[in-house]
Amino acid sequence: MAHTNAPGSSTTTSSEFGPATGLSCRECGTVYDLGPIFACAECFGPLEVTYDFGDVRREDIESGPTNIWRYRALLPVPADVAAKPNLQPGWTKLVKADRLAAELGLRSLHIKDDSGNPTHSFKDRVVAIALEAARTFGFHTLSCSSTGNLAGAVGAAAARAGLDSCVFIPADLEAAKVTMASAYGGRLVGIQGTYDEVNRFCSELIGDELGEKWGFVNVNLRPYYAEGSKTLAYEIAEQLGWRLPDQIVIPVASGSQLTKVDKGFRELIRLGLVEDRPYRIFGAQAEGCSPVSRAYKAGHDVVQPVRPDTIAKSLAIGNPADGPYVLDIARRTGGAVEDVDDHEVVEAIRLLARTEGVFAETAGGVTVGVLRKLAREGRLDPDAETVVLNTGDGLKTLDAIAEQARPAAVIRPSLDAFRTAFAN
């Protein structure tokens, strides 16, 4: 069944969205025109972008810019997107992590380090796609509900594009993320409540005249926004020499990133850009906000919401929209969804920094902590090529390790004092 968009919503031609052809419900398959909608009118299921890719060649991708726009032929963006004012995120480092691999007993390990993006988190990828949709639909204000990183990414992208921004966050976020998000000149609004309560408020604002002509990147622009996570899959495959990793560990907040990495891998296979081979996807959560991990371990298909209580605030979504799809992917690929407690998160942040010189935020501590747990329990293949994601910079979550951050010694500026302090 095909639908045009609901009355009052904008539609546009597919040429403004490159290879995108429409929106399709992930539950019932109902098809909609491209527009600023995110839920199916038939069953309330989530919508996602559908495509007609045509012929996509490796050499065309490789000749593109060193950012996500090298994959514009696989994204819902116009052909001239690279020429528009945007933050041009992506093409971050894939770090060969031999020392960490040795500590964990793994043969081959890479870290996809997205802390190198313009606002130091992977959120720049998804916001860049949402920004293009906002422009096309004529929105003048870019907005979001955020656990921290997204607020900064939206503020920066809007500033670069000359749009207004207004972002909403839980009032108890890490100070560094609040400071960064407030630097871009838009409005930053703290809400007394959890992220899930902030998100519900934003959904109400969309239906009010106060939110008219606002593009909420992770609500009414969510189908486009979510496609930005596919670029992680594309880059990992290309940086590995156009092959898929055998296994990958991905953090789970809403679950969208994991589902879109899987979608990206499957698109590369379908287009013949990589060999069709099995891969395993593992989801990583913090124990204090682990509804998907709990459902996986219990053998459930339904994810029961929880109230978050963890230092990994960027993953603190108690009612993850894509949770059921994460479960499906973990089971289909032979992976799993696991969690670690806050102490293990801090240990993993320090382990990654000590072995590879990569300073991760708490979400990266979660993925490395889960990687270590899975390796210890023999649930990963130690001989398989493995990738783990670090989605943000540790400078954003300094409080997590501040208690252990102190000089090894405080001495007078003399050799004798140094010898005395470190005689043993």
Side-chain angles (χ1 to χ4, degrees):
M1 181 184 296
H3 280 247
T4 57
N5 293 334
S9 64
S10 302
T11 60
T12 187
T13 62
S14 60
S15 63
E16 296 170 291
F17 286 92
T21 57
L23 301 175
S24 175
C25 177
R26 292 165 74 177
E27 291 296 323
C28 71
T30 299
V31 177
Y32 296 82
D33 294 336
L34 293 163
I37 55 173
F38 61 99
C40 178
E42 299 293 322
C43 71
F44 304 107
L47 302 181
E48 70 172 4
V49 181
T50 59
Y51 298 92
D52 181 3
F53 289 127
D55 182 32
V56 181
R57 302 180 303 169
R58 288 182 185 177
E59 51 265 41
D60 294 333
I61 293 172
E62 292 168 345
S63 66
T66 52
N67 53 55
I68 63 171
W69 306 134
R70 69 198 285 115
Y71 308 109
R72 60 190 176 276
L74 302 172
L75 297 168
V77 295
D80 64 347
V81 62
K84 297 184 177 183
N86 63 75
L87 295 179
Q88 300 183 336
W91 202 243
T92 54
K93 293 179 180 178
L94 186 69
V95 179
K96 196 170 189 302
D98 291 340
R99 296 189 68 230
L100 178 59
E103 291 236 359
L104 301 182
L106 302 177
R107 179 185 62 82
S108 176
L109 176 64
H110 289 84
I111 303 157
K112 182 58 172 172
D113 185 14
D114 247 24
S115 65
N117 276 311
T119 69
H120 309 288
S121 91
F122 95 95
K123 292 294 187 181
D124 290 321
R125 297 174 181 271
V126 289
V127 171
I129 309 297
L131 171 63
E132 293 311 308
R135 282 178 168 142
T136 300
F137 297 134
F139 293 136
H140 57 63
T141 298
L142 212 58
S143 187
C144 70
S145 52
S146 173
T147 58
N149 286 325
L150 183 57
V154 166
R160 176 79 178 104
L163 299 179
D164 293 331
S165 67
C166 183
V167 299
F168 300 89
I169 59 172
D172 64 347
L173 283 188
E174 300 98 336
K177 290 179 180 176
V178 174
T179 300
M180 183 177 187
S182 67
Y184 299 110
R187 283 176 287 176
L188 176 66
V189 181
I191 302 289
Q192 295 175 344
T194 66
Y195 169 81
D196 299 287
E197 291 168 320
V198 176
N199 198 44
R200 283 195 294 271
F201 167 78
C202 288
S203 296
E204 293 175 8
L205 187 55
I206 287 174
D208 190 273
E209 62 181 11
L210 289 171
E212 187 177 357
K213 288 295 181 180
W214 285 28
F216 289 80
V217 299
N218 53 346
V219 189
N220 60 348
L221 296 178
R222 187 175 182 83
Y224 313 95
Y225 159 93
E227 293 294 284
S229 288
K230 295 193 309 180
T231 60
L232 281 163
Y234 302 153
E235 287 180 21
I236 289 168
E238 185 178 355
Q239 290 169 327
L240 286 175
W242 290 108
R243 68 175 185 273
L244 303 184
D246 297 315
Q247 50 199 14
I248 183 169
V249 183
I250 302 173
V252 174
S254 72
S256 177
Q257 182 184 76
L258 185 149
T259 64
K260 295 307 179 185
V261 168
D262 176 64
K263 183 180 182 182
F265 285 166
R266 288 185 288 114
E267 287 174 348
L268 293 176
I269 291 171
R270 189 166 71 250
L271 291 166
L273 295 171
V274 298
E275 178 187 352
D276 185 358
R277 51 182 291 192
Y279 57 87
R280 302 169 74 196
I281 293 184
F282 296 84
Q285 292 202 293
E287 185 181 273
C289 186
S290 54
V292 187
S293 176
R294 293 181 190 182
Y296 176 83
K297 293 175 184 178
H300 294 162
D301 296 325
V302 177
V303 176
Q304 295 294 331
V306 302
R307 192 167 187 86
D309 182 17
T310 174
I311 61 172
K313 294 184 184 296
S314 61
L315 302 182
I317 297 179
N319 189 18
D322 281 48
Y325 304 109
V326 170
L327 294 173
D328 290 344
I329 291 167
R331 290 165 179 157
R332 170 171 56 79
T333 65
V337 188
E338 188 52 85
D339 57 81
V340 287
D341 63 33
D342 285 354
H343 176 70
E344 292 171 296
V345 172
V346 172
E347 283 187 338
I349 291 171
R350 291 187 168 278
L351 173 64
L352 179 58
R354 174 173 59 81
T355 56
E356 299 298 342
V358 175
F359 185 25
E361 70 161 11
T362 49
V366 169
T367 52
V368 173
V370 166
L371 172 71
R372 181 171 64 170
K373 185 174 184 178
L374 293 169
R376 283 176 173 174
E377 296 177 355
R379 296 161 67 190
L380 288 173
D381 181 352
D383 294 321
E385 187 167 53
T386 306
V387 173
V388 62
L389 300 192
N390 172 44
T391 52
D393 195 315
L395 292 175
K396 294 186 174 190
T397 57
L398 291 173
D399 288 352
I401 63 167
E403 287 186 7
Q404 302 175 31
R406 58 181 63 89
V410 178
I411 63 173
R412 299 186 310 277
S414 72
L415 289 175
D416 285 343
F418 181 74
R419 291 190 184 100
T420 301
F422 295 96
N424 296 325

